[in-house]
């Protein structure tokens, strides 16, 4: 297991002692995921939060017409999950799969709750992540409601600069809410 990327991410928000780092690492499970492998499917209950060490994951829903609507990409250094399913133990409304071969760390909801007691600084870390995710979600919602497709595409490029060349255009189109054909016209 290579938890250094996670420990680096944590250290940007809170400073852990070596003993606290050991507690965090002891609760993690590592997993290699193949391209297109599901980590979560609609109606399943999510048991773990996923931290991406390498590769990229995506979360999405599928509407009644079979059209995918991508909610999030999680490149290296990002967390991803269906929070309602994970925290409330409710069936998921999302799918999470690997965009490419990936390596991830898993943290169960029970272990995360344990961390809040054993390493109180981790509660602050996850609160800061939740605040950041909420701000990003609000911003994206406003963009989707008020910006033309070209501007949403430019925002995507700023949010995910490392992914713009590696993702299939159909995924980017789904994320910004247009068809792949329309995206081709917008990006020339």
């Amino acid at each position: 297991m290579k938890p250094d990327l996670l420990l680096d991410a944590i250290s940007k928000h809170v400073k852990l002692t070596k003993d606290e780092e050991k507690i965090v690492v002891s609760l993690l499970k590592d997993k290699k995921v193949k391209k297109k492998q599901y980590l979560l499917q609609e109606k399943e209950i999510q048991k773990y939060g996923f931290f991406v060490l390498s590769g990229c994951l995506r979360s999405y829903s599928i509407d009644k017409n079979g059209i995918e609507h991508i909610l999030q990409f999680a490149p290296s250094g990002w967390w991803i999950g269906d929070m309602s399913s994970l925290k409330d133990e409710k069936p998921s409304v999302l799918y999470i799969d690997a965009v490419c071969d990936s390596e991830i760390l898993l943290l169960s909801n029970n272990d995360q709750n344990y961390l809040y007691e054993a390493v109180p600084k981790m509660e602050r870390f996850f609160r800061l992540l939740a605040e950041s995710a909420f701000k990003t979600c609000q911003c994206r919602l406003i963009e989707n409601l008020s910006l033309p497709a070209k501007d949403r595409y430019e925002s995507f490029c700023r949010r995910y600069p490392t992914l713009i060349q590696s993702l299939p255009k159909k995924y980017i189109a789904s994320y910004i809410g247009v068809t792949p054909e329309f995206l081709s016209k917008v990006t020339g």
Side-chain angles (χ1 to χ4, degrees), residues 13 126-138:
H13 301 285
F126 281 109
R127 178 182 55 81
L128 293 171
L129 282 186
E131 288 173 356
S132 178
F134 183 73
K135 289 187 307 187
T136 301
C137 184
Q138 273 187 325

Side-chain angles (χ1 to χ4, degrees), residues 38-45 60-64 82 85 90-96:
Y38 287 104
L39 292 163
L40 181 68
Q41 294 188 59
E42 184 179 40
K43 299 183 181 169
E44 293 179 348
I45 295 175
Y60 58 98
S61 65
I62 300 176
D63 69 21
K64 65 182 178 186
D82 180 334
S85 180
K90 292 181 178 180
S92 180
V93 297
L94 298 176
Y95 295 82
I96 298 175

Side-chain angles (χ1 to χ4, degrees), residues 141-154:
L141 181 60
I142 291 168
E143 288 174 355
N144 284 351
L145 293 171
S146 63
L147 294 180
K150 185 169 177 54
D151 292 346
R152 294 195 311 268
Y153 175 74
E154 289 169 359

Side-chain angles (χ1 to χ4, degrees), residues 7-64:
L7 294 175
D8 289 345
I10 293 169
S11 73
K12 290 176 185 169
H13 301 285
V14 297
K15 300 298 178 205
L16 300 180
T17 66
K18 291 295 180 195
D19 288 340
E20 290 169 331
E21 287 180 354
K22 287 179 185 173
I23 293 169
V24 170
V25 170
S26 73
L27 299 174
L28 301 170
K29 296 177 181 170
D30 63 330
K31 182 177 180 90
K32 291 185 190 251
V33 187
K34 294 288 185 194
K35 180 179 181 176
K36 296 188 178 184
Q37 181 179 341
Y38 287 104
L39 292 163
L40 181 68
Q41 294 188 59
E42 184 179 40
K43 299 183 181 169
E44 293 179 348
I45 295 175
Q46 185 167 350
K47 301 289 187 201
Y48 298 94
F50 308 119
F51 180 82
V52 181
L53 292 172
S54 65
C56 183
L57 306 180
R58 68 181 177 135
S59 66
Y60 58 98
S61 65
I62 300 176
D63 69 21
K64 65 182 178 186

Side-chain angles (χ1 to χ4, degrees), residues 64-82:
K64 65 182 178 186
N65 297 317
I67 297 172
E68 291 182 6
H69 301 279
I70 296 178
L71 182 67
Q72 179 190 359
F73 293 103
S76 178
W78 287 46
W79 287 90
I80 193 168
D82 180 334

Side-chain angles (χ1 to χ4, degrees), residues 70 73 140 152-153 156-157 160 163-180 183 187:
I70 296 178
F73 293 103
R140 179 152 181 241
R152 294 195 311 268
Y153 175 74
F156 173 86
C157 292
Y160 297 109
L163 296 181
I164 197 65
Q165 299 302 321
S166 61
L167 288 174
K169 294 284 188 211
K170 69 179 184 178
Y171 287 0
I172 297 169
S174 172
Y175 182 88
I176 65 171
V178 299
T179 65
L183 179 62
T187 60

